[in-house]
Amino acid sequence: MKMGFRWYGEGNDTVTLDHVRQIPGVETIVWSLHGKQAGEVWEQAEIDAEIATITGLSDQARAQGITKTFDAEVVESVNVHESIKLGRTVLGLSRDEAIENYITTIRRLGQSGVKVVCYNFMPVFDWLRTDLWHPLPDGSTALFYEKAVVDKMSPESLIADMEANTHGLTLPGWEPERLASFSELNAAYEGVTHDDMYANYKYFLDAVIPTCEEVDVKLGVHPDDPPFDVFGWPRVVSTKEGLARVLDLNPSPYNGLTLCLGSFSANPEQDAVDAVKTFMDRIHFSHVRNIKHFDNGDFTEVAHRACEGSVDTTGIMKAYAEAGYEGYIRPDHGRHLWDENTTNKPRPGYGLYDRALGIQYLLGAWDAYRYQG
């Protein structure tokens, strides 16, 4: 297992690579070209420059005796254009054009040493919360989902709330360019069914997977967040049955999962440990985080320790350890701790301290089970 840390790039993250170097156990920086829009080709020079930043050391660092470096083997995410999900031209790009651009990007990433690409297949919004800075009893803040608010909220009002509460940092899945086209996208999904989405998904996988096999890049789909339909749009990677169906769309081992246990577990009826055991050989990348459910359908993000919430994070790491998992793992959304709430003001869910604490908890559980006896 290789431990990773998601990083948004120089000038786009309140956390630096030098901060991450001091977190024991981190080997992989999970990255993306966050300025690229879905459907755009990633240029080789852009890829090479970002990888060089991640894997290199500055002269100043070397002079200080720093030797720890990272690999850049995981990309999160190469976003799928809405024309692919809809199976027709939308936002000025046809499905086949978008797929060809995706294939070109995958080929270039593989040639640069990337091993796993995370993506999702969610319509319009990649994820949804109603409060980005919800206060917790310990004085920290965290992402929060309030069911009653979503039930009565329009997508337009949610967009306005998100734009006003991000500390000026762009959020993946909520890019201004995407949101500017909301009305067109909302209309395009009118009448689209779950079966339509699966059919379009298969078309995408059948087109892209041969290149993945050729250049040795595994695809890992992220479960829907939250794992149920929102605003009437069909979501197809929400349940255990949905994940199995997606894997059956194309049997290649390069068609796999980024199994985010927090997203999957936002439905309290779903068993995260069982999902890990069921799909182990197709999990290329995993996000391990904890949430706490409330009886009214709300949930909040909490610390990674299992007893803090409703997700058996210890059991998850035990399952990975006992199977000798060789893929990639990262902590996911953390609480905002200490001065992050008032001074550093990180991207919601992506501060430094709680993710660092989470890594140590996850690695401790891994070590306890991997090396027992």
Side-chain angles (χ1 to χ4, degrees), residues 39 74 79-80 165 273 315 325:
V74 179
N79 292 324
V80 175
N165 288 284
V273 177
Y325 178 66

Side-chain angles (χ1 to χ4, degrees), residues 228-239:
F228 39 79
D229 291 353
V230 295
F231 301 125
W233 304 319
R235 292 185 160 198
V236 296
V237 198
S238 293
T239 64

Side-chain angles (χ1 to χ4, degrees), residues 56-74:
L57 283 173
S58 67
D59 291 341
Q60 181 181 8
R62 294 181 189 279
Q64 294 173 347
I66 295 172
T67 59
K68 181 177 180 178
T69 58
F70 302 110
D71 67 57
E73 295 175 353
V74 179

